[in-house]
Amino acid sequence: MSLLYERLFQRVLFPFYESLLRRRKTIAYGREYDRNQWLSADALAALQWTRLKALLDHCYREVPYYRRLWDALGITPDAIRSMEDYARLPILTKADIRANFDDLIAPSYRAGLLLKSTGGSTGEPLRFGYTRESHERRTAVMWRGYGWAGARMGRRTLYLWGGTVGNPGRLQLVKDRLFHAAFGRRMLDSFPMSESNMAQYADAIDAYKPEVMVGYVGPLVRLAQWLLAHKRQAAAPHSILGGAEALLEYQRELIQRAFGAPAYNTYGCREFMLIASECERRDGLHINADHLLVEAGRAEPGDVLITDLHNYGMPFIRYANGDLATTSTRACACGRGLPMLERVDGRKLDAIRTRTGQILPGEFFPHMLKDVPGVVRFQVVQRTLETLDISIVRGDAFDAAGLDYARNEIAKQLGDALDVRFHFVDAIETGKNGKFRVTISELSADASP
């Protein structure tokens, strides 16, 4: 029955909704990307270069920020004749975007621009714009990458993900439930996870019997540890996809042992959605180079710099998303010509614990604080089982209502188990390795209630 519904969804329901009702080109873009992945590395590089050159020409003609910046540096698109020339263009930072938001928008795309806020997994929430084409293409790329791991649309999938924050209306909740049901999804909120309710998560997996599981790496690992410690078996999916932070090899082994299914690493961020993901061989991550241009370290970790080749409304050129990664010169044995990331080295989100046994994933804080106006940067540090310190760099839009909202959302998850202390600071420094961690637990691994 599940295979029948999967085919019905892919061939009838989704095309009817996406193409006929919403007038989107997601399916056509998906076919394009499915063909692209089998191009040779040279052909993909040529395709990427053609798209990059067209984007740079557009930025110079229509985007005030880039025209002003490049003129001041004596740069014109014609002078960019190679990737080496491109790599000398200035890096775009979150601070640059905040200071030049309106000038980064191409006037001819302003009316139809879609807006979104990041969760700030590197501690700096950000508002940004993107076009309808970019949205449709990033959705198509996501389904391609997830499909490599067997997570095809319409397949019975359980998400161990972030729950709803704030107070959405009843109509929105109903729409969300219907949307997820149509895709064959069951959503499990990972934020309330604690030692006392782990059995409920295992029961939910048994009841739903997913073919695929998708989850934050931290909660997946904690649930796997609990299953192994309690000798509990849960219904085994065909595959498991980890997101939100890098899936380390010992974590992969733990998850696979607990669930009896292969675990796949994915890498993305809210500004671009899926950046890279593992194919069936699980030997490095394929970069979506026919959709994005991604720069990172060679042989050793380096800053991740990303350009969306199709976002003409608010182009990000060499955008630093705050992560570290290492590229690979290897070609994957699967035969795809897409270049590889050897590993993602940054973005570690520590879990917050309490004496009552609650474990709140570090992912909760960027997920929640993205909705608080005026939060320029933040960092969460737990030094004891009784306290939690949250440092915030405030912008002009921050007010008491935002502080109350944050307190209330944390209380929903932890009650009064922790003394939550907010500190307003002028700046938050990066760590010695140059990487900024948004949540830090200074508790020892064996700290116990």
Side-chain angles (χ1 to χ4, degrees):
M1 179 62 73
S2 60
L3 180 59
L4 180 64
Y5 181 78
E6 180 185 330
R7 290 174 176 171
L8 175 67
F9 185 82
Q10 291 178 9
R11 298 175 184 178
V12 180
L13 299 180
F14 187 72
F16 175 76
Y17 173 79
E18 195 75 0
S19 301
L20 295 179
L21 288 185
R22 301 306 299 269
R23 305 288 182 181
R24 292 171 176 163
K25 298 180 181 179
T26 309
I27 294 174
Y29 293 142
R31 290 194 292 266
E32 174 191 327
Y33 288 128
D34 284 343
R35 293 190 300 269
N36 289 346
Q37 65 183 319
W38 301 112
L39 293 174
S40 68
D42 288 344
L44 277 164
L47 174 65
Q48 185 184 67
W49 178 251
T50 298
R51 291 178 171 175
L52 176 63
K53 284 291 290 179
L55 177 65
L56 295 176
D57 288 342
H58 164 77
C59 288
Y60 192 71
R61 285 194 316 269
E62 291 202 40
V63 183
Y65 172 79
Y66 292 114
R67 186 168 58 249
R68 183 176 66 247
L69 176 64
W70 296 348
D71 279 346
L73 296 172
I75 296 171
T76 64
D78 289 342
I80 302 171
R81 299 187 179 94
S82 66
M83 282 296 183
E84 289 74 18
D85 293 336
Y86 168 77
R88 288 192 283 270
L89 289 177
I91 291 171
L92 182 71
T93 68
K94 291 179 171 67
D96 294 329
I97 295 166
R98 293 193 189 94
N100 300 277
F101 187 89
D102 287 337
D103 281 351
L104 277 161
I105 297 173
S108 61
Y109 286 83
R110 187 180 296 274
L113 202 65
L114 305 172
L115 296 173
K116 187 182 285 188
S117 296
T118 69
S121 64
T122 56
E124 296 180 276
L126 182 73
R127 187 166 171 260
F128 63 95
Y130 57 104
T131 61
R132 176 171 171 166
E133 178 182 353
S134 177
H135 170 73
E136 293 164 3
R137 284 183 174 276
R138 58 184 65 184
T139 301
V141 160
M142 180 202 74
W143 283 117
R144 180 179 70 178
Y146 275 31
W148 296 337
R152 301 180 295 270
M153 67 171 64
R155 204 169 193 195
R156 194 173 181 83
T157 303
L158 185 142
Y159 278 75
L160 187 59
W161 212 246
T164 303
V165 296
N167 297 291
R170 180 174 298 178
L171 179 60
Q172 184 60 50
L173 292 174
V174 170
K175 286 182 178 179
D176 288 345
R177 281 197 292 269
L178 290 174
F179 183 78
H180 292 312
F183 274 88
R185 295 172 182 157
R186 168 74 193 280
M187 307 299 290
L188 278 187
D189 184 0
S190 67
F191 292 155
M193 182 180 281
S194 69
E195 282 296 315
S196 64
N197 64 14
M198 286 289 190
Q200 297 175 28
Y201 286 88
D203 291 344
I205 294 170
D206 281 337
Y208 193 66
K209 295 180 173 57
E211 295 174 282
V212 178
M213 283 180 59
V214 181
Y216 291 154
V217 170
L220 281 172
V221 169
R222 288 189 287 277
L223 182 55
Q225 290 171 326
W226 184 89
L227 290 170
L228 292 171
H230 291 79
K231 296 181 172 57
R232 167 73 186 267
Q233 290 184 327
H238 293 294
S239 58
I240 300 171
L241 283 75
E245 59 179 292
L247 178 66
L248 304 177
E249 284 308 310
Y250 84 89
Q251 295 172 322
R252 189 200 301 265
E253 189 276 333
L254 192 68
I255 291 170
Q256 291 179 161
R257 190 152 46 92
F259 290 99
Y264 292 77
N265 201 2
T266 68
Y267 173 51
C269 66
R270 193 168 172 85
E271 296 94 321
F272 308 102
M273 287 178 58
L274 189 66
I275 297 169
S277 51
E278 290 183 322
C279 71
E280 309 85 17
R281 301 191 69 88
R282 292 183 293 151
D283 186 24
L285 296 93
H286 288 282
I287 301 170
N288 294 316
D290 48 348
H291 175 63
L292 306 169
L293 198 162
V294 179
E295 302 169 78
R298 297 180 181 180
E300 60 183 24
D303 290 331
V304 175
L305 307 176
I306 308 175
T307 298
D308 183 338
L309 298 170
H310 300 283
N311 184 7
Y312 277 51
M314 190 175 182
F316 283 7
I317 305 296
R318 307 195 74 219
Y319 167 69
N321 72 348
D323 292 340
L324 298 171
T326 305
T327 59
S328 173
T329 57
R330 294 184 297 108
C332 184
C334 71
R336 294 178 177 88
L338 296 165
M340 306 284 289
L341 279 182
E342 192 71 36
R343 61 185 180 274
V344 179
D345 302 281
R347 199 166 59 169
K348 178 174 172 56
L349 300 176
D350 290 347
I352 302 303
R353 291 178 281 170
T354 73
R355 283 207 177 276
T356 56
Q358 291 168 282
I359 303 173
L360 183 62
E363 293 87 355
F364 167 79
F365 295 94
H367 186 69
M368 179 268 293
L369 286 170
K370 74 179 188 295
D371 296 321
V372 179
V375 175
V376 175
R377 207 175 202 200
F378 68 90
Q379 188 174 66
V380 179
V381 181
Q382 183 176 25
R383 296 181 174 89
T384 73
L385 283 167
E386 293 81 20
T387 61
L388 190 66
D389 291 286
I390 302 178
S391 297
I392 295 177
V393 178
R394 293 176 290 181
D396 294 338
F398 189 88
D399 58 21
L403 189 60
D404 290 340
Y405 172 85
R407 287 189 185 279
N408 290 337
E409 292 300 319
I410 295 171
K412 286 181 186 178
Q413 304 298 328
L414 299 177
D416 59 359
L418 289 176
D419 177 18
V420 182
R421 303 178 297 201
F422 288 87
H423 311 276
F424 300 115
V425 297
D426 295 329
I428 301 174
E429 300 301 323
T430 58
K432 293 181 179 179
N433 64 352
K435 177 66 179 175
F436 181 82
R437 288 167 59 192
V438 64
T439 61
I440 299 173
S441 174
E442 295 184 354
L443 302 178
S444 62
D446 58 353
S448 58

